[in-house]
Amino acid sequence: MNKNRKLRLLVMSDLHAVVNTDYSDDTHLVFKSDSSEFADALLDYIKDLNEDFDLLVCPGDIANKAQPGSFLQGWKTLNKFAEELKIPELICVPGNHDHESRRNEGVFDPKHKLQFCEPRFPRNNFDECTHFWAWHWCPIINEDYNAVIINSSAYHGFYDENDHGRVAIEVSKQIGDFIKSDKFQEKPINFLLCHHHPSRMDYVDEDYDFEVMDGAAQLIRKIEDSDKGPWMIIHGHKHFPEIRYSQSQSVEPIVALSAGSVSAKLHPALMNKTSNQFYIISVDIEKTEKYGKAIGEFETHEWTLKEGWHPSKSENLPAKGGFGSPSSPQEIANQIKNLFASKSEPFLEQSDLSGISSDIAYLSPTDFKRLISKLEKIGFATETVGSEIIQVGKS
């Protein structure tokens, strides 16, 4: 963690790596002779950002359709990124494409190759790996944070389980009991990492969503009941990026990042909604501790065929934004209205908003749009750049 007490995460989800030309229509991450131009360009781009990270996080689908050799190639690439970017911790979970549940010939256990690969997966610690593969989850205890990683594809290969994710009710009880125990000491922030989404996302494909992780509501209830500090969920699978808040019994909701795919070719329903993306998450530890919920900012970087890698131009998850703001859009709009009452000028410049600038920065993209809308309703026009307000004037 840096001296400003910011915990920094690099999030790369749904790699869908392939080797040679098989399934190359599914992904940009194609390996030939152990190398990939796409992976090399991505690594060079991140290096040029000159950022420091505490964690590299991947919420699964490292492979594509369990193609032989694809998982190992993708997993080695993630380890290479962690090593070359000097990231001390790599946290991953498997996805439905990583389990060999699609392949019937000669496969006696869909997870066998994941359990016995080198480097060890998902953790380079024998006891943690043993716990993960025995119970389909594992706790990770760090000085600065706690994490729980879940195999939401654990039952793939049985009946219709391939169609959705699952966390067993018994597993949720195990996790809840562990979090309540003395082994799980309260930290400034906790992470829950899974592949499948914990709540339905019918709006992505504008159709019923049956891929959701069964049992997730029970798990979230157990986490909330434990009262062991703020939580942030990170998942992939849908390739649809967004920041949202979980359904909660509390005024301190869990923040959820739905990560887009870093390299899969997007299916038609998504092509006009998003792009290939990775994320930099910065958790403000001081404010997270103060307000009891995950508070921070994110950066989104995207890849397009014409421009390569660049800061996101997507509205869905813009180049910069936040989550967990202590103030609601209505509260901030009222504060801006009060600032006008104490000034004679017809405009407020960015410097005039310095007292509430961090609350604005920590608004989610949806709440930032709501703030602009609320200001318009009470008679103010705004000039914005990305997720920043440059000037506010009376309209």
Side-chain angles (χ1 to χ4, degrees):
M1 189 186 302
N2 63 32
K3 61 182 179 181
N4 295 321
R5 300 200 71 205
K6 299 288 180 69
L7 192 67
R8 306 269 291 166
L9 286 69
L10 174 62
V11 180
M12 299 167 53
S13 186
D14 292 80
L15 278 63
H16 289 269
V18 302
V19 293
N20 301 318
T21 57
D22 293 342
Y23 303 121
S24 59
D25 289 341
D26 294 339
T27 182
H28 302 288
L29 188 59
V30 179
F31 286 89
K32 298 177 180 178
S33 302
D34 294 331
S35 65
S36 164
E37 292 182 4
F38 189 88
D40 293 343
L42 174 57
L43 180 58
D44 289 342
Y45 178 82
I46 298 174
K47 284 181 177 178
D48 288 342
L49 296 176
N50 197 29
E51 301 273 8
D52 293 323
F53 303 105
D54 299 290
L55 296 90
L56 172 56
V57 177
C58 178
D61 274 1
I62 296 167
N64 186 70
K65 296 178 180 175
Q67 180 203 26
S70 64
F71 175 82
L72 188 57
Q73 199 66 260
W75 179 230
K76 286 180 177 179
T77 298
L78 286 170
N79 280 269
K80 177 183 177 181
F81 273 51
E83 180 180 358
E84 296 207 14
L85 295 169
K86 297 180 173 58
I87 305 176
E89 192 79 75
L90 171 58
I91 300 180
C92 293
V93 290
N96 54 299
H97 280 256
D98 301 321
H99 290 72
E100 292 189 287
S101 52
R102 290 173 170 81
R103 298 169 52 79
N104 296 318
E105 61 277 8
V107 175
F108 58 88
D109 181 357
K111 66 182 186 301
H112 180 81
K113 289 186 178 179
L114 301 178
Q115 287 181 268
F116 292 96
C117 76
E118 288 293 337
R120 188 179 284 120
F121 176 83
R123 301 284 293 162
N124 197 27
N125 176 291
F126 180 82
D127 291 336
E128 289 177 341
C129 275
T130 300
H131 193 291
F132 183 84
W133 292 115
W135 301 110
H136 310 313
W137 74 280
C138 176
I140 298 171
I141 308 301
N142 186 279
E143 181 181 352
D144 299 317
Y145 59 86
N146 295 310
V148 172
I149 59 175
I150 293 175
N151 185 2
S152 62
S153 304
Y155 306 102
H156 279 216
F158 302 96
Y159 305 106
D160 64 349
E161 291 291 327
N162 288 8
D163 298 333
H164 59 86
R166 181 182 298 279
V167 54
I169 298 298
E170 294 84 354
V171 168
S172 294
K173 185 179 185 304
Q174 278 187 352
I175 293 171
D177 290 344
F178 179 82
I179 293 172
K180 286 184 177 180
S181 74
D182 293 338
K183 295 179 181 179
F184 194 93
Q185 297 295 317
E186 188 166 340
K187 302 289 173 60
I189 184 70
N190 305 297
F191 298 104
L192 175 66
L193 183 64
C194 50
H195 180 63
H196 291 84
H197 41 299
S199 57
R200 290 177 63 138
M201 299 174 69
D202 306 272
Y203 47 86
V204 174
D205 300 311
E206 298 182 3
D207 198 359
Y208 298 109
D209 178 10
F210 298 110
E211 299 177 18
V212 67
M213 182 166 61
D214 287 353
Q218 165 83 342
L219 174 62
I220 291 173
R221 179 64 65 93
K222 292 289 185 183
I223 285 173
E224 288 190 320
D225 288 347
S226 69
D227 193 23
K228 283 286 187 78
W231 284 81
M232 183 173 191
I233 299 172
I234 302 175
H235 70 81
H237 186 64
K238 290 296 283 186
H239 300 184
F240 184 80
E242 66 176 4
I243 290 278
R244 64 179 184 276
Y245 301 99
S246 71
Q247 293 181 348
S248 176
Q249 311 167 79
S250 169
V251 295
E252 301 168 346
I254 297 173
V255 174
L257 168 66
S258 173
S261 170
V262 71
S263 45
K265 292 183 180 178
L266 304 177
H267 61 81
L270 285 178
M271 289 184 67
N272 295 324
K273 294 181 178 180
T274 186
S275 55
N276 293 115
Q277 299 180 347
F278 72 85
Y279 312 94
I280 298 172
I281 305 295
S282 181
V283 180
D284 187 322
I285 295 300
E286 182 177 345
K287 287 189 178 291
T288 295
E289 288 181 313
K290 180 178 179 179
Y291 292 101
K293 59 181 180 178
I295 297 176
E297 296 175 274
F298 66 83
E299 294 180 21
T300 306
H301 297 264
E302 68 178 0
W303 183 89
T304 58
L305 185 60
K306 290 184 178 180
E307 299 181 68
W309 286 104
H310 57 273
S312 173
K313 298 177 183 178
S314 169
E315 288 188 12
N316 206 46
L317 268 191
K320 292 187 178 182
F323 52 88
S325 178
S327 300
S328 70
Q330 186 65 61
E331 289 172 322
I332 296 174
N334 290 338
Q335 287 178 291
I336 291 175
K337 182 180 178 180
N338 292 337
L339 285 173
F340 266 105
S342 63
K343 291 177 68 70
S344 58
E345 291 85 353
F347 294 98
L348 291 177
E349 304 294 343
Q350 197 169 23
S351 58
D352 298 317
L353 303 174
S354 59
I356 56 174
S357 60
S358 64
D359 284 1
I360 295 173
Y362 294 141
L363 287 173
S364 70
T366 297
D367 283 338
F368 184 79
K369 291 178 182 178
R370 288 189 175 186
L371 170 60
I372 302 306
S373 175
K374 291 180 184 297
L375 288 171
E376 290 175 353
K377 288 178 181 179
I378 58 177
F380 297 110
T382 57
E383 180 185 346
T384 63
V385 174
S387 59
E388 291 183 297
I389 295 179
I390 305 302
Q391 189 181 73
V392 183
K394 295 180 180 178
S395 59

